Structure formats: structure tokens, C-alpha cells
Amino acid sequence: MAKLLGLTLVGLVLALYKNHRSSYQTRLNAFREVTPVDLPNCTLVKGIEAGAEDLEILPNGLTFFSTGLKYPGIKSFDPSKPGKILLMDLNEKEPAVSELAIMGNTLDMSSFNPHGISTFIDEDNTVYLLVVSHPDSSSTVEVFKFQEEERSLLHLKTITHELLPRSSALTPLWITSLWIL
């Protein structure tokens, strides 16, 4: 009799578990078919076919893209090349991207692995670009000054710290103060 009662109890628990799991799959649409949607005004932008990790749009329409992230578990489209920062002007009729040259000799370009980016605009309209980078599986914040006339970035400094988390985004409160997300 005890065995029968035990088997019945196990059967009820398994039935409730299966029903519970099934209801979560239904609520989360785990087995839903996704139908492709053709968007009429979307076009492929040449130069970022492999995708971008993050973007930041300035008030004047200039847009920065971080590309080339190499991260465990994520497919890298060009594992032999370091990451780069691209620029696109959204005010153009047919926007195109261009790679920004990185000036200065303080950044090791071979290990540049950009992830999240943010901008800070100073009182004199100087644009600073802050980039979360993951060289050698660590985290750093690279600080650049955007030189609009030359269409380049001047590397100012690298921020490293043992307590800097493995983050993907940051919010600059000022050029020397960061809120890491």
C-alpha cells in the first residue's frame, strides 16, 4: 500500500511539473514560428555587413559604430583583424560608413576589442568617445577625442582598474567620471 501511495505521489509531482514546464513554454512562445518581414525603407549599409556591437548618435547626425568584437561564444567575422570604430553621417541621402583613423601611440591596436561606446560633449563642443574594450579577456575604457575635420580619433588614455567589471556599456558623467553599466 505504501508503494502504491508513493508511486501515485511521484506521478502527481511529475504531471504537475510537465504541465508547469509546458505552460512556461507557451507563455514565452518558445516554439513560435517567426515569419520574416520585408521592411520597405531598409537597405544594407556597405561597410558594416558583419554588424556592429554598439552605436552612438550625436545631435548633429554623426554616428559612431564599434565593430569587430571578439568574445567567447560569439562568432567573429574577421578574427585576424582588430576592432575598429566607424563613422556615418545620417544627414546624407545615402549614408556610407568610413573607418576612423586612430591617432596617438598609446593604444595597442592589435588588442583593441571595442564593445560598448558612449560620447561626452564638453562645453566647447569637443566630442569625446569612450569605448569599453576587452583586450586579453579583461576590461578597459579607452578615451578618445573626436577630431571632426580630420575624421579621426585621438587616443587620450586607457582607464584600467581591478574593480572595473566586465561591462558592455558606460555613461560618462564627465570626461573623468564614469557610470559603468
Side-chain angles (χ1 to χ4, degrees):
M1 181 71 168
K3 282 187 180 182
L4 183 59
L5 187 59
L7 286 174
T8 303
L9 189 59
V10 168
L12 283 172
V13 168
L14 287 175
L16 287 173
Y17 173 72
K18 181 184 182 308
N19 248 355
H20 178 72
R21 200 175 104 213
S22 174
S23 85
Y24 273 117
Q25 290 172 342
T26 303
R27 280 189 263 165
L28 296 173
N29 293 319
F31 300 108
R32 175 182 63 173
E33 285 286 325
V34 178
T35 55
V37 176
D38 288 327
L39 300 173
N41 297 325
C42 290
T43 58
L44 178 68
V45 177
K46 301 266 190 247
I48 51 175
E49 296 88 357
E53 178 54 39
D54 198 3
L55 63 92
E56 184 79 12
I57 303 172
L58 296 178
N60 64 3
L62 291 178
T63 305
F64 298 101
F65 294 91
S66 65
T67 64
L69 177 67
K70 291 159 205 56
Y71 210 71
I74 296 176
K75 180 183 178 188
S76 177
F77 291 96
D78 203 350
S80 63
K81 289 188 178 177
K84 52 190 169 185
I85 304 295
L86 304 176
L87 181 71
M88 180 170 68
D89 188 352
L90 296 177
N91 297 314
E92 296 176 359
K93 186 174 180 171
E94 291 186 30
V97 296
S98 59
E99 183 177 349
L100 288 174
I102 297 178
M103 314 304 280
N105 56 2
T106 57
L107 178 65
D108 180 13
M109 282 303 297
S110 65
S111 65
F112 185 52
N113 194 13
H115 197 168
I117 58 176
S118 291
T119 55
F120 178 82
I121 302 174
D122 213 343
E123 300 91 23
D124 61 354
N125 288 331
T126 302
V127 177
Y128 295 94
L129 184 69
L130 293 95
V131 180
V132 175
S133 182
H134 301 292
D136 307 320
S137 298
S138 63
S139 289
T140 65
V141 176
E142 305 296 341
V143 182
F144 299 97
K145 179 180 175 184
F146 177 53
Q147 299 173 320
E148 191 168 354
E149 295 79 31
E150 297 88 15
R151 296 287 171 132
S152 66
L153 295 172
L154 175 63
H155 184 256
L156 299 177
K157 65 179 171 179
T158 300
I159 300 171
T160 59
H161 195 276
E162 61 192 29
L163 297 178
L164 188 65
R166 292 197 50 85
S167 61
S168 62
L170 53 92
T171 301
L173 303 175
W174 201 74
I175 195 61
T176 57
S177 302
L178 304 175
W179 182 267
I180 308 287
L181 303 174

